[in-house]
Amino acid sequence: MSGFVAIARLDGTPVDVDAVERAVSVITHRGPDGRRSLVDGSVALAHLQHRTTPWPTGFPLQDGRVLVTGAARIDNRAALRDRLGPFDDPVSDAALVLAAYRQWGRACPVHLVGAYAVAIVDRAADRVFLARDHAGLRPAFLARTADRVAVASDIEPLLALEWVTTAVDDGVVVEGLVGAASSAARTIYADVDRLPAGTSATVTTDGIERRRHWRPEAIDPLDLPSDRAYEVGFRELFDRAVADRCRGPAVGSLLSGGLDSSAVTCAAAGHRSQIPTYSLGFDATPVSDEREYARAVVDHVGARSTVVDGDAPGPFADAEAMLSAVGRPIRGNTTYLHWRLYRAAAADVDVVLGGFGGDAVVSHGLGRLTDLARRGHWLGLARELRARAHHRGESPWRRLYTDAVRPLVPRSARRLARRLRDGDPIERLSPVIDRDRARAVAWPDRLRQAQVTPSPLATHRERQVAGLARPNWQFDLEAANALGAAAGVEPRFPFFDRRLMAFCIGMPADQSLRDGVSRSILRRAVELPERVRDRHHKSSLAPAYRRALVDEREQIRQLYDTTPDALWRYLDRDACLGALDRAAEGPFPALTARVYRPGMLAAWSHHRPDAPKH
């Protein structure tokens, strides 16, 4: 997982080369295959290479008065070559990005398909142009003043610059404790911003202008002639998404046994014979174990299987290494399991495929039930509810309320009901947060900003787009990128292919939910073992996670005991310690909010730079 740093002086004065070296030095793990730098007066670019494709990356690159660096895997290479060539062979990702910028200027991201974060210094136009792929598969962070800008694949290189402080954004800390985000652009450091997914930015001496180049809400609806046409279209795009991500020296697959990872593994087996798979096993918590489904896939495609122990250690055993890689508190409470899989896979392969994102991209289609109710299609609604209840072994009346009636209740009414039932929203979302601090950062107002729940009258499509717009997706993808780089392997996620996403967003709702079966198009279009294709439940990781977290409570207590006093500006110490004691006594609600997130914040407080530089 390559990394990069770019620093440009907007006033034209020479760049501090030593500062660039200091910045790059903190992410050397991203460059096992070499490091290249380019310094030209007021510009300094660096690229740390982890080569996971058959072609060169080519960063950094200079062509006249235009310089480019970044981290990229461009998937529509053939189309770009035909349109923009001729090129030397093999053409690098950097050459394609630079040619696209020469041809289309700031509109070039519209024409780039793949995973990328790039920084282009255009001296002729006196600007620095930044772009990040549609889903945020490659991270990009930036810091700027009136006369300079720095961009990097990680937060830490920016904090190594003397003009960037380590001051913390209190509001982002509080948001992290409840797992929400009111802005995709803000990071936990006040001086460091994130370039949001699907966004480009132009930096000049006049300031910064941001533009969205990926707008899923603007995708045209599909109107294909038959179910068969949708199945063929989905299968072709899904197979191409997997095939593009199978390009590399050694490729494996993360196989949970769920529908999404199984579909990816089955498709990948058509491009990689005996593809190695990596699955978790939970002997101590068999209710979380899905090896029987993973084995069905392995037998179906003739893959090679490695089972990784998922029971121990828990989330905090490798917290220091994980936080060092990610640079901020880790929100995902099962991220430690992915970290364990990445490390196991890195012994054999350079790339691992995963099914992450399949639920949101393909969609369970439950918005169709609300659509039917809103339109008064009662017979169709009744059929879908009966079928769904049958598949899931539940009461049709419960499904009627959960899937069709409750979404139609106005949000204001639901908020009022929650307030009457649960009281203070701060107490409900995270009872260990210090209330004075939460109110000081206007947390209730920020919470409303963070909720991207669509209108009760929203269509299935609007609900799907709103779900994909949640900033937490790109936070999780950033964590996967950083942890993969630290482990020495590149995670790739075919469901986040831009072309496949556009197809799924454009599909009518009845392709996602059909005869009570969610994600119907995936089950119909991809060849899967019958045992996996026909399953309607997925085992929960919650019991395994709960057991591991409870086992680590003394380690968390020690973190609290040795944590700097500044942490307790955000947390109620007595509530945190009380939650640890209660967790040990038996089943305990809101374990993530009461134990995991506070503990991770405490671990991060040990890892982060000690104090602002000035």
Side-chain angles (χ1 to χ4, degrees):
M1 298 290 280
S2 299
F4 71 95
V5 175
I7 301 177
R9 293 293 305 241
L10 302 176
D11 57 5
T13 58
V15 72
D16 182 353
V17 177
D18 291 339
V20 180
E21 292 301 310
R22 288 194 301 272
V24 171
S25 68
V26 301
I27 54 169
T28 55
H29 63 280
R30 283 193 178 269
D33 298 317
R35 167 180 161 185
R36 294 179 59 198
S37 299
L38 176 60
V39 179
D40 189 353
S42 61
V43 179
L45 308 177
H47 176 78
L48 297 101
Q49 185 176 39
H50 181 189
R51 188 164 180 177
T52 58
T53 60
W55 56 85
T57 63
F59 296 109
L61 179 63
Q62 181 172 12
D63 180 15
R65 302 190 71 187
V66 180
L67 305 90
V68 57
T69 192
R73 189 200 70 247
I74 304 301
D75 291 334
N76 61 331
R77 299 174 58 78
L80 291 173
R81 288 187 63 149
D82 291 344
R83 183 79 180 269
L84 304 173
F87 295 97
D88 293 335
D89 198 24
V91 60
S92 68
D93 288 316
L96 290 173
V97 170
L98 184 55
Y101 179 77
R102 291 282 197 194
Q103 177 70 26
W104 295 296
R106 293 187 293 171
C108 65
V110 175
H111 303 274
L112 299 175
V113 177
Y116 61 85
V118 294
I120 301 172
V121 182
D122 186 341
R123 284 177 156 162
D126 289 326
R127 67 190 181 201
V128 178
F129 178 72
L130 315 171
R132 189 177 180 196
D133 65 70
H134 66 292
L137 297 160
R138 292 289 184 272
F141 301 96
L142 67 148
R144 63 186 178 91
T145 64
D147 60 359
R148 54 192 162 188
V149 61
V151 191
S153 55
D154 302 82
I155 293 176
E156 262 79 357
L158 301 179
L159 297 177
L161 302 173
E162 63 179 10
W163 51 277
V164 179
T165 76
T166 58
V168 170
D169 185 324
D170 286 351
V172 173
V173 173
V174 173
E175 288 180 357
L177 287 168
V178 298
S182 60
S183 168
R186 299 171 66 177
T187 75
I188 201 166
Y189 292 101
D191 280 3
V192 178
D193 288 335
R194 170 187 291 102
L195 182 65
T199 301
S200 63
T202 303
V203 185
T204 66
T205 53
D206 293 329
I208 182 168
E209 177 190 357
R210 293 181 175 86
R211 294 181 178 179
R212 287 180 60 196
H213 59 80
W214 164 250
R215 304 184 73 89
E217 66 275 13
I219 292 171
D220 293 331
L222 292 175
D223 186 17
L224 302 185
S226 65
D227 288 343
R228 175 67 177 165
Y230 283 106
E231 292 164 12
V232 170
F234 181 93
R235 181 164 57 248
E236 289 178 349
L237 286 171
F238 183 69
D239 188 67
R240 180 167 66 173
V242 173
D244 284 346
R245 286 155 184 77
C246 279
R247 294 183 289 190
V251 179
S253 184
L254 306 182
L255 176 60
S256 70
L259 191 63
D260 300 323
S261 66
S262 297
V264 169
T265 302
C266 288
H271 305 281
R272 291 274 180 165
S273 60
Q274 292 190 317
I275 185 169
T277 65
Y278 303 87
S279 305
L280 291 166
F282 296 95
D283 292 327
T285 48
V287 68
S288 297
D289 196 271
E290 295 221 303
R291 276 177 287 183
E292 60 178 301
Y293 299 103
R295 279 194 296 268
V297 175
V298 167
D299 293 343
H300 181 72
V301 301
R304 293 182 285 123
S305 175
T306 296
V307 177
V308 178
D309 181 13
D311 284 316
F316 289 89
D318 286 332
E320 182 177 351
M322 293 169 62
L323 289 165
S324 179
V326 175
R328 56 173 171 78
I330 298 169
R331 294 191 177 207
N333 57 10
T334 58
T335 301
Y336 73 102
L337 295 173
H338 303 135
W339 166 246
R340 199 169 303 165
L341 287 168
Y342 295 156
R343 289 193 300 169
D348 310 311
V349 300
D350 302 290
V351 172
V352 286
L353 309 180
F356 181 61
D359 281 7
V361 172
V362 179
S363 173
H364 288 271
L366 300 183
R368 184 183 178 218
L369 300 174
T370 310
D371 288 352
L372 292 170
R374 182 169 53 88
R375 295 170 185 166
H377 293 176
W378 304 116
L379 288 178
L381 175 61
R383 283 194 296 267
E384 287 293 344
L385 287 170
R386 280 198 302 267
R388 182 162 170 77
H390 170 74
H391 293 313
R392 299 181 65 84
E394 296 175 351
S395 163
W397 296 108
R398 177 174 180 176
R399 294 258 60 93
L400 173 65
Y401 171 73
T402 301
D403 297 333
V405 176
R406 186 171 63 180
L408 293 175
V409 177
R411 280 178 304 206
S412 58
R414 280 182 279 169
R415 280 199 299 265
L416 178 60
R418 279 199 303 267
R419 185 65 183 261
L420 293 173
R421 183 184 68 235
D422 301 325
D424 186 343
I426 299 173
E427 170 71 20
R428 175 173 58 83
L429 289 167
S430 185
V432 298
I433 290 180
D434 180 85
R435 283 153 188 72
D436 292 337
R437 175 58 49 183
R439 293 190 178 94
V441 299
W443 169 240
D445 294 334
R446 294 166 69 103
L447 175 60
R448 283 190 284 274
Q449 296 176 40
Q451 292 174 327
V452 292
T453 304
S455 161
L457 298 180
T459 64
H460 156 78
R461 171 192 171 92
E462 290 168 340
R463 291 175 184 278
Q464 183 179 15
V465 169
L468 289 168
R470 291 189 174 96
N472 281 352
W473 283 113
Q474 53 193 289
F475 300 163
D476 291 341
L477 288 168
E478 287 169 3
N481 179 283
L483 293 173
V489 67
E490 179 185 345
R492 296 177 182 171
F493 306 108
F495 282 104
F496 281 110
D497 181 274
R498 194 180 85 183
R499 299 156 295 190
L500 180 64
M501 290 180 73
F503 183 91
C504 291
I505 292 169
M507 287 190 314
D510 65 356
Q511 296 299 321
S512 294
L513 183 68
R514 172 76 59 84
D515 298 326
V517 176
S518 65
R519 290 184 289 170
S520 173
I521 187 71
L522 181 61
R523 300 175 195 264
R524 291 183 280 125
V526 179
E527 184 182 349
L528 292 162
E530 183 177 352
R531 186 168 196 178
V532 173
R533 184 196 65 210
D534 294 341
R535 64 183 303 204
H536 300 283
H537 296 82
K538 182 170 175 58
S539 301
S540 172
L541 290 175
Y545 154 72
R546 178 180 293 274
R547 176 183 178 276
L549 195 60
V550 169
D551 285 349
E552 290 186 325
R553 62 188 182 278
E554 291 306 318
Q555 183 176 343
I556 299 171
R557 190 186 304 276
Q558 185 176 6
L559 280 172
Y560 289 160
D561 289 342
T562 57
T563 290
D565 289 340
L567 175 73
W568 304 110
R569 298 170 61 228
Y570 310 106
L571 295 168
D572 182 318
R573 185 192 296 263
D574 291 338
C576 287
L577 294 174
L580 284 178
D581 292 335
R582 288 186 60 193
E585 296 171 359
F588 184 48
L591 198 64
T592 294
R594 296 172 187 244
V595 177
Y596 172 78
R597 290 181 191 137
M600 189 57 65
L601 182 63
W604 171 79
S605 72
H606 287 268
H607 169 76
R608 66 176 290 263
D610 290 333
K613 301 181 184 70
H614 53 73

